[in-house]
Amino acid sequence: MSKSVSKPYTWYYRPLGWLLRGLAHLPLTVLYGLADFIYFLLAYVVRYRQQVVLTNLRNSFPEKSEVEIQRVQRLFYRNFAQVIVETLKLAAMSEAELKRRVTFSNPEVLERHFAQGRTVLGLSSHAGNWEWVLTSGALWLSAHVDGVYKPLMNPFFESFMRQLRTGTGAGLIPMRDTLRDLIQRRGETRVVSLLSDQAAGPEDRPYWTTFMNQEAGFYTSAERLASRFNCPVVYVGIHRLHRGRYEIVLADLYDGDSPLPTDSFPITESFVRHLEADIRSFPADYLWSHRRWKHKRVRS
């Protein structure tokens, strides 16, 4: 797998590392008390990206009243705070507990591709607890799991998050190395996970479509990679059942063999529709603080 060497970080980050790992050893029930405090700070003190969250919600759900929008906003902050402590818990969570808390409802969608020795592209999003998907997938699935990610600029947090994300055996591929990694490991049986709901800018030649009642640009890397490497593509839906419990629901987007058109993007469009359906079913679970719709289409 592609590996990036973690840069050394300044010594004064070490106490922070000890503190975070110490907190991770607390039971989740205690950490959820901390999450309630984080929720209060985010929602009522810092008001973290409040206008971004409200604008995104109002534009995405024009049919909802302002009272409903405010309720979804509060639930979003609460869920986001829980994701923060759940991610921290990865530093000390047993594999058995993680597997109890994240279940794959239909792993056979991936397993039948693995049985054919295929590399599968898994398209997921910033919904539910996206940080638990990669780590739990390494426990549930019979093939290796790699996640494409954007390295953090801060050396301490880059090192800390790499340890959390790879603790169960999953691998990480820096975004810039994705093509090289697929070339070097062509034909390997595994799933390569991509968070595919980032905001693609005009310079990325995005695919523009209507997403949650707004025009949005999506990266088209799934189409290009699937076509070049004959990879099946699977949608990875992340559903919060209740606090600390998630269900992963998979759906085939592309079989890896059928010819793909050169003038349209059916894989990306199908991903968008699946994601939109999940957001409408679980509106408070999406990362509404993300500036998903910040780019505007440049029309000639």
Side-chain angles (χ1 to χ4, degrees):
M1 72 190 69
S2 295
K3 296 182 178 179
S4 61
V5 179
S6 297
K7 297 179 182 178
Y9 51 84
T10 312
W11 65 268
Y12 52 71
Y13 278 106
R14 291 176 186 170
L16 177 59
W18 300 333
L19 173 63
L20 293 176
R21 289 182 177 85
L23 288 172
H25 280 84
L26 295 173
L28 260 177
T29 50
V30 176
L31 288 176
Y32 283 131
L34 176 60
D36 289 340
F37 177 66
I38 295 173
Y39 157 68
F40 177 78
L41 290 179
L42 292 175
Y44 299 106
V45 179
V46 179
R47 299 181 184 272
Y48 176 68
R49 293 191 176 182
Q50 184 183 71
Q51 281 308 119
V52 173
V53 173
L54 285 173
T55 299
N56 285 344
L57 288 172
R58 288 166 180 157
N59 291 341
S60 297
F61 300 101
E63 74 282 3
K64 290 186 182 296
S65 68
E66 188 61 23
V67 171
E68 292 174 302
I69 293 294
Q70 298 275 350
R71 178 178 177 275
V72 174
Q73 181 202 36
R74 290 192 299 272
L75 287 173
F76 157 71
Y77 280 124
R78 188 176 296 279
N79 291 345
F80 185 39
Q82 290 176 10
V83 168
I84 291 172
V85 300
E86 288 169 359
T87 302
L88 175 61
K89 184 62 181 176
L90 285 174
M93 182 182 285
S94 71
E95 293 184 354
E97 181 178 5
L98 180 60
K99 197 170 182 181
R100 284 197 307 271
R101 291 185 173 278
V102 184
T103 57
F104 279 64
S105 67
N106 54 344
E108 64 275 7
V109 172
L110 282 169
E111 294 296 342
R112 63 172 170 258
H113 295 305
F114 296 156
Q116 299 173 357
R118 309 291 290 268
T119 294
V120 184
L121 300 181
L123 305 188
S124 59
S125 66
H126 291 88
N129 187 332
W130 56 93
E131 292 291 354
W132 276 10
V133 175
L134 186 71
T135 50
S136 62
L139 303 177
W140 273 99
L141 303 174
S142 63
H144 189 72
V145 177
D146 288 314
V148 175
Y149 83 114
K150 185 176 181 179
L152 300 175
M153 296 299 293
N154 183 288
F156 167 76
F157 286 105
E158 165 65 9
S159 175
F160 186 73
M161 290 303 298
R162 281 186 65 86
Q163 292 176 41
L164 297 188
R165 290 165 172 166
T166 60
T168 58
L172 289 178
I173 305 169
M175 189 181 299
R176 64 180 180 277
D177 296 338
T178 305
L179 181 60
R180 180 172 61 186
D181 183 271
L182 285 168
I183 292 173
Q184 292 176 343
R185 301 168 65 189
R186 188 165 193 159
E188 186 174 321
T189 304
R190 59 173 174 153
V191 57
V192 177
S193 175
L194 300 93
L195 283 170
S196 300
D197 61 337
Q198 298 97 330
E203 70 281 1
D204 301 305
R205 294 180 297 172
Y207 167 63
W208 291 93
T209 188
T210 300
F211 172 53
M212 298 304 296
N213 294 302
Q214 303 159 79
E215 195 171 49
F218 284 82
Y219 289 102
T220 58
S221 54
E223 245 87 11
R224 296 194 303 273
L225 296 175
S227 177
R228 178 167 180 174
F229 297 99
N230 301 113
C231 294
V233 183
V234 169
Y235 174 76
V236 182
I238 312 159
H239 302 165
R240 183 191 301 269
L241 301 178
H242 51 83
R243 190 179 71 174
R245 301 280 180 173
Y246 299 89
E247 179 185 46
I248 307 301
V249 181
L250 307 171
D252 279 311
L253 300 181
Y254 172 62
D255 61 12
D257 299 311
S258 303
L260 286 169
T262 57
D263 58 347
S264 61
F265 301 92
I267 296 174
T268 304
E269 179 64 24
S270 183
F271 164 77
V272 172
R273 296 307 134 220
H274 278 81
L275 175 57
E276 191 171 66
D278 274 351
I279 293 173
R280 294 194 180 281
S281 297
F282 309 94
D285 284 353
Y286 194 58
L287 188 63
W288 294 109
S289 57
H290 179 42
R291 293 187 174 92
R292 180 64 190 82
W293 293 272
K294 64 182 178 181
H295 298 298
K296 302 302 177 185
R297 187 174 189 175
V298 177
R299 301 183 184 275
S300 55

